[in-house]
Amino acid sequence: MTLLTPVAMLLLIPFTAFCLWYLQQSNRVGAMLPGSWRLVTTPSLRQFMQRRLKSGDDKSIIVAAVCSLLVIATLAHPVIVIDTAPPANFTGRVVVLDMSAGIDVEAQRFFADSLLVNQSVNDAASATATGLVVAGDGAYTVVPVTQDMAHVQRYTGVATPDLMPANGRTLHEGIAVAESLLADAEVAVGQVVIVTSGTPLEEFIAIPDRGRLRDIVVADGESQHWSGVAESYRAQLHASSDLAAVVERLSSAARDRFFRGVQESTFDLRPPLIALALVLWLWLLRRRIER
C-alpha cells in the first residue's frame, strides 16, 4: 500500500493529543457528568453516575475515534499498486536516414552514431530499442527494433545513396515504415527520428497520425528552412546539436505514459474507507436519537 498524500498523517498528532486529554478528563471523578450535576451530587453518587455514563458511552467514544482515524486515512489517499513494472518494449525509436541524392550523408551518419552511442554509454543495461530505416526512392527496413546498438551502428556506418535502387525522396514513406516497425514490435511509446539535410521538401504527402513522436533533425544546420515540413508532418524540428533534446523528448513522453499507467493500475482505497466511516457515523447518529 502506498500513501499519495502522506503529509495528512500528521493529523495523528492532534488526534493523539486530544485522546490523551480526553482520557485524563474522563478519569476525574464527576468530570463527565452533564450540566451541573457534579455540583449537586455527593462524591459517592458522582462515582456511581460516572460509572453508568462510561458503561453507556464507551462504545460511542470508540466508534467516534475510529471514524476520525478513517477520515485521516482517507485524506492520506492510500492506494494499492497492482503492477508498476513497464514491459521490455515500453519505449522504442526508429531512425530514418534520408538517402536521396545530393544530401550530406556524413553529417547524417554522425548524428545517428551519436544517438546510438549516447544510448549505449548512458544506459547500456536498458538502452532504448532502436531500428533503422533508409528512405530514397522508397523506404526500406535495414534493422528492426533492437537493443543491440552495435548491430545498428554497423549499418549506419555504411549507409549511402549508392545503395538505393533509384533516386528519389520519399520521407513520408520512411515515416510510415518506421511507425510500422514500432507497431510490429508492440512499442508503447515510440519515436521516429528523421535525419536529413540539404534542400527542404517542396511537396508534402499526408500520412496518418499513428500516435508516435516525430522529430526531424537537419544534420547540416539549416533547420530553419524545414519548419514547413515539420508542421506538415506534425513533427518537432531540431538542429544536429540538439541530441539531448531528441533523447529527452522520448524520455519525457515515457515518464508521462508510465505515470498514467501507474494511476490506471492502482486500486484507490478512499471509497471503501469513506463508506465505512459513513456507516459508523450513521450508527452514532442513531444512538444519539434513541437517547
Side-chain angles (χ1 to χ4, degrees), residues 209-225:
D209 189 350
R210 304 183 65 174
R212 305 297 186 177
L213 300 175
R214 295 174 180 173
D215 294 85
I216 297 179
V217 178
V218 183
D220 59 4
E222 301 296 329
S223 59
Q224 66 274 13
H225 302 307

Side-chain angles (χ1 to χ4, degrees), residues 39-278:
L39 300 177
V40 297
T41 54
T42 62
S44 59
L45 182 58
R46 291 175 196 166
Q47 292 180 351
F48 172 77
M49 296 182 66
Q50 185 176 357
R51 284 196 296 270
R52 295 296 300 271
L53 288 173
K54 282 186 175 181
S55 63
D57 284 348
D58 280 348
K59 291 183 179 179
S60 298
I61 293 171
I62 294 174
V63 173
V66 172
C67 284
S68 301
L69 290 174
L70 289 174
V71 171
I72 294 174
T74 301
L75 293 175
H77 196 170
V79 296
I80 296 178
V81 180
I82 300 173
D83 185 13
T84 58
N89 57 343
F90 186 66
T91 59
R93 175 187 292 116
V94 176
V95 178
V96 180
L97 296 180
D98 184 0
M99 292 289 106
S100 57
I103 52 87
D104 190 347
V105 179
E106 292 298 330
Q108 291 190 48
R109 293 194 305 201
F110 179 79
F111 179 86
D113 286 340
S114 300
L115 181 61
L116 297 172
V117 169
N118 177 273
Q119 291 297 302
S120 300
V121 173
N122 293 343
D123 200 5
S126 57
T128 301
T130 304
L132 179 64
V133 171
V134 292
D137 63 307
Y140 305 92
T141 300
V142 179
V143 180
V145 177
T146 178
Q147 287 187 310
D148 188 349
M149 299 297 110
H151 180 62
V152 182
Q153 279 184 286
R154 281 194 289 269
Y155 288 93
T156 58
V158 297
T160 62
D162 297 337
L163 299 176
M164 305 303 294
N167 292 331
R169 203 176 201 186
T170 56
L171 292 183
H172 65 283
E173 290 189 19
I175 297 174
V177 171
E179 292 181 342
S180 295
L181 286 180
L182 293 172
D184 293 341
E186 298 181 348
V187 172
V189 183
Q191 179 186 39
V192 177
V193 182
I194 305 100
V195 188
T196 185
S197 59
T199 306
L201 295 173
E202 297 180 357
E203 296 182 0
F204 312 133
I205 300 178
I207 55 177
D209 189 350
R210 304 183 65 174
R212 305 297 186 177
L213 300 175
R214 295 174 180 173
D215 294 85
I216 297 179
V217 178
V218 183
D220 59 4
E222 301 296 329
S223 59
Q224 66 274 13
H225 302 307
W226 286 78
S227 57
V229 180
E231 183 178 354
S232 175
Y233 290 138
R234 297 176 297 279
Q236 193 168 104
L237 188 61
H238 304 274
S240 58
S241 58
D242 295 338
L243 175 63
V246 174
V247 174
E248 176 58 26
R249 189 156 186 251
L250 179 59
S251 300
S252 177
R255 287 193 298 268
D256 293 342
R257 179 69 174 271
F258 178 70
F259 180 73
R260 291 196 301 270
V262 168
Q263 289 182 318
E264 294 171 358
S265 63
T266 57
F267 178 72
D268 195 343
L269 293 176
R270 290 181 300 175
L273 291 177
I274 294 173
L276 180 58
L278 286 175

